[in-house]
Amino acid sequence: MILIKRMQLLGRSGLSFMGDIGRASLFLYQALVGKPDWVHGFGRLVQQLYSVGVLSLIIIVLSALFIGMVLGLQGYTILVKFGAEHALGQLIALSLVRELGPVVGALLFAGRAGSALTAEIGLMKTTEQLSSMEMMGIDPLRRIIAPRFWAGQISMPVLALIFNCVAILGGYTVGVEWLGVDTGAFWANMQSAVDFYADVMNGIIKSVVFGTVITWIAVFQGIDCPPTSEGIGRATTRTVVYSSLAILGLDFFLTAVMFGET
Amino acid sequence: MKMRTVEITVGALMVAGILSLLMLALQVSGLSHFFREEPGYRIKAEFANIGALKVRAKVSVAGVVVGRVVKIQLEPETFNATVWMAIDPMQVDKLPIDTRASILTAGLLGDNYISLLPGFNETEFLREGNNISIGNTDSAVILEQLISKFLAGQVSASKNTNNSQRDQ
């Protein structure tokens, strides 16, 4: 008897999980597919790019600087034991461009912008702004969700690129200016090791995927949250947890596909 | 927040993103070196083998870095490697014409670099475009070749001893 109950529980959670995915996909489809409104849509997109992208810039730049500096310091102390400190540039650039830039950038982005998106949309739902929009004959999905989704998807790769650059400059500061690695060796090794298409472009593709997933989870959690203050809090937490897990899991698959066969 | 400020900051974000992409393309992945010329005058040197010497490797006199390698190419007739170096005139502007160039390795596993050993000619100096001929250069020491030579030497030496033992 208890076995059947367990089976039932498993079936129920499986069904609700599949239902969530179905609703999320349908919701994204409704929000994005259709005739775009170029004139007003662009203004709304710029507004969202500001709140999603520009306001995330400070945390991205600061973390990138420190991560780059730590990479420089740690890499130097390890490489100098083998007399290979000239390979520092290569170490920093490859680890940043391939992994750390997109992944850490996305984690920060999920914490900074994803949670804000969920809370904002959740509060709109709780205070019935979304229903009143529907009353006025405005589609809230197209009006509220679409610009936020595109803004997240555009800003994520841009922020990841800025993250990479700032972190490499941070590593350069520590490695070359403070610890005395030769400048030419630093850049020459980096340039001979990093390939633009295989490394930089794949990093950008990763960050586009992460941006899509984060904003998708964030806006869906916002629109799907129970309309209470507790519900908003839970939805915000879920956004951060789900998107962090999704980033790390997807990163493994993307890495396996992109860099696996060599 | 005024719309104007919002638009300006978003524009700045986009510009920063494009600049970052440019930096990653040019400086980090080295798609091109065309935009920056190394300062200083150019001299070239012919080597029989440059080992793992790379563009932007350092050029030193008595251990002091005086320039960078700017170009490496193969001579089609002689199959020698020609290495172009940019020498900083602030560091050294009168290198004797009989200066010797050798490719050395920094440490056991380190990068290759060029060491210049100034000659004794006090009237003629290396100028823009001058060549250090192959007679005045030392090729890179390639560790694998040294090891294989050493091993071959060992084998032949042991054969000799074997033969001499057999003779006795």
Side-chain angles (χ1 to χ4, degrees):
Chain A
M1 210 52 214
I2 198 138
L3 197 67
I4 289 177
K5 229 170 210 170
R6 285 280 155 81
M7 289 287 270
Q8 189 188 1
L9 213 66
L10 191 69
R12 191 188 297 158
S13 59
L15 278 177
S16 87
F17 177 70
M18 293 314 284
D20 277 347
I21 290 187
R23 270 185 305 135
S25 314
L26 208 63
F27 147 82
L28 194 70
Y29 175 80
Q30 281 170 352
L32 300 183
V33 175
K35 193 164 85 47
D37 179 5
W38 294 112
V39 185
H40 298 101
F42 187 71
R44 281 179 216 129
L45 180 65
V46 168
Q47 187 75 48
Q48 288 310 314
L49 275 175
Y50 176 78
S51 64
V52 169
V54 177
L55 292 182
S56 309
L57 199 57
I58 294 175
I59 184 175
I60 290 277
V61 167
L62 273 182
S63 332
L65 192 64
F66 286 120
I67 284 179
M69 284 160 76
V70 167
L71 264 182
L73 209 55
Q74 289 283 15
Y76 182 82
T77 49
I78 293 171
L79 287 174
V80 81
K81 281 183 190 161
F82 307 102
E85 66 269 22
H86 52 82
L88 184 66
Q90 179 177 346
L91 173 90
I92 293 177
L94 277 185
S95 49
L96 275 170
V97 168
R98 285 185 176 180
E99 290 296 333
L100 285 177
V103 173
V104 177
L107 289 175
L108 292 170
F109 185 76
R112 163 65 189 74
S115 57
L117 281 179
T118 307
E120 190 186 6
I121 296 172
L123 194 70
M124 279 183 185
K125 188 184 178 190
T126 310
T127 52
E128 297 185 340
Q129 293 179 42
L130 297 185
S131 336
S132 40
M133 269 186 187
E134 264 173 42
M135 292 286 204
M136 289 188 278
I138 301 168
D139 184 2
L141 291 181
R142 303 285 303 282
R143 174 77 191 241
I144 300 292
I145 303 302
R148 282 169 176 73
F149 182 80
W150 292 124
Q153 204 174 21
I154 294 170
S155 4
M156 187 62 246
V158 173
L159 289 174
L161 283 174
I162 295 174
F163 187 100
N164 284 340
C165 277
V166 174
I168 286 171
L169 289 178
Y172 173 84
T173 313
V174 169
V176 175
E177 306 286 336
W178 295 357
L179 297 172
V181 176
D182 183 63
T183 318
F186 185 88
W187 292 117
N189 271 308
M190 189 185 288
Q191 287 168 2
S192 61
V194 179
D195 183 67
F196 183 72
Y197 297 103
D199 297 321
V200 179
M201 283 317 257
N202 275 344
I204 295 175
I205 291 171
K206 269 187 183 180
S207 60
V208 171
V209 173
F210 295 158
T212 313
V213 171
I214 294 168
T215 34
W216 186 15
I217 291 175
V219 291
F220 180 68
Q221 289 296 341
I223 215 110
D224 200 46
C225 81
T228 56
S229 43
E230 198 196 352
I232 297 176
R234 284 217 182 131
T236 314
T237 314
R238 268 208 298 268
T239 298
V240 177
V241 173
Y242 288 175
S243 35
S244 306
L245 288 177
I247 290 161
L248 296 173
L250 270 177
D251 181 52
F252 174 73
F253 281 110
L254 287 174
T255 308
V257 170
M258 287 168 176
F259 305 107
E261 60 262 34
T262 49
Chain B
M1 182 64 71
K2 274 204 301 193
M3 200 60 196
R4 201 172 120 79
T5 334
V6 169
E7 280 172 352
I8 290 171
T9 47
V10 170
L13 177 76
M14 291 298 142
V15 170
I18 292 166
L19 285 181
S20 307
L21 182 63
L22 273 182
M23 177 187 153
L24 285 178
L26 301 180
Q27 184 74 13
V28 175
S29 58
L31 269 189
S32 90
H33 299 282
F34 302 128
F35 294 100
R36 202 185 21 177
E37 287 275 292
E38 283 284 334
Y41 59 96
R42 305 269 188 280
I43 58 173
K44 60 180 177 176
E46 260 182 65
F47 292 95
N49 190 336
I50 58 165
L53 190 76
K54 289 187 201 119
V55 170
R56 301 201 65 184
K58 60 188 178 184
V59 178
S60 68
V61 174
V64 180
V65 178
V66 296
R68 300 270 169 209
V69 172
V70 288
K71 196 166 82 174
I72 298 172
Q73 62 190 42
L74 186 70
E75 287 296 318
E77 286 102 26
T78 57
F79 300 112
N80 288 329
T82 303
V83 176
W84 287 84
M85 298 168 265
I87 308 290
D88 185 3
M90 299 293 285
Q91 296 274 3
V92 52
D93 64 339
K94 285 185 173 176
L95 279 170
I97 196 102
D98 54 348
T99 293
R100 203 169 172 81
S102 356
I103 298 180
L104 302 179
T105 309
L108 197 57
L109 301 165
D111 269 4
N112 284 23
Y113 66 99
I114 293 186
S115 171
L116 297 177
L117 186 66
F120 300 102
N121 195 323
E122 287 178 2
T123 51
E124 284 183 90
F125 301 104
L126 286 171
R127 289 275 152 257
E128 172 80 34
N130 277 167
N131 189 14
I132 301 177
S133 66
I134 190 137
N136 261 338
T137 61
D138 297 317
S139 289
V141 174
I142 295 170
L143 210 57
E144 291 87 335
Q145 285 183 355
L146 271 188
I147 292 172
S148 60
K149 265 183 202 160
F150 175 71
L151 286 178
Q154 284 277 28
V155 170
S156 59
S158 65
K159 263 184 192 161
N160 286 342
T161 51
N162 282 346
N163 288 344
S164 55
Q165 277 168 356
R166 216 171 289 154
D167 289 343
Q168 286 169 359

